[in-house]
Amino acid sequence: MSQNYKFFNHKECEYFPCHKTNDPDNFNCLFCYCPLYALKDKCGGNFRYTDKGIKDCTNCTLPHRRDNYDYIIGKFKDIINITKKDD
């Protein structure tokens, strides 16, 4: 069964690739803005915090790897939990 919905490559984008890559043909643009950013240190990616406390994902390609679609979708429960209204 085809799973084309898990991958989108947009080489015509003026920002392509937005991260360094040795494999532009397998660079997934589906999650252009990482939905895991809000998970802070629980995202699973290669990030760092700047001296000002800002999360810097410059060296992270987790959302752009073809095989990470299921990982990202699996984290949506965590995203929902951090956005729930406090009692």
Side-chain angles (χ1 to χ4, degrees):
M1 181 175 166
S2 174
Q3 294 187 355
N4 293 323
Y5 63 91
K6 292 184 176 185
F7 182 80
F8 172 71
N9 186 275
H10 187 37
K11 289 183 181 174
E12 291 79 31
C13 176
E14 57 271 25
Y15 300 105
F16 183 87
C18 59
H19 295 270
K20 292 179 186 177
T21 180
N22 293 327
D23 193 6
D25 290 334
N26 284 306
F27 192 88
N28 194 353
C29 301
L30 185 63
F31 300 109
C32 179
Y33 291 93
C34 184
L36 306 182
Y37 184 85
L39 294 178
K40 300 179 182 178
D41 62 344
K42 306 274 190 283
C43 68
N46 182 23
F47 67 92
R48 70 177 192 90
Y49 282 102
T50 67
D51 293 340
K52 294 184 178 182
I54 305 296
K55 188 175 177 182
D56 175 7
C57 303
T58 302
N59 295 316
C60 183
T61 58
L62 188 144
H64 301 296
R65 282 182 258 152
R66 183 186 286 265
D67 58 341
N68 282 348
Y69 176 88
D70 292 327
Y71 174 81
I72 291 173
I73 295 303
K75 288 286 198 174
F76 270 77
K77 186 184 288 186
D78 296 336
I79 295 168
I80 289 167
N81 286 335
I82 66 168
T83 61
K84 282 184 179 177
K85 183 179 174 185
D86 292 332
D87 291 335

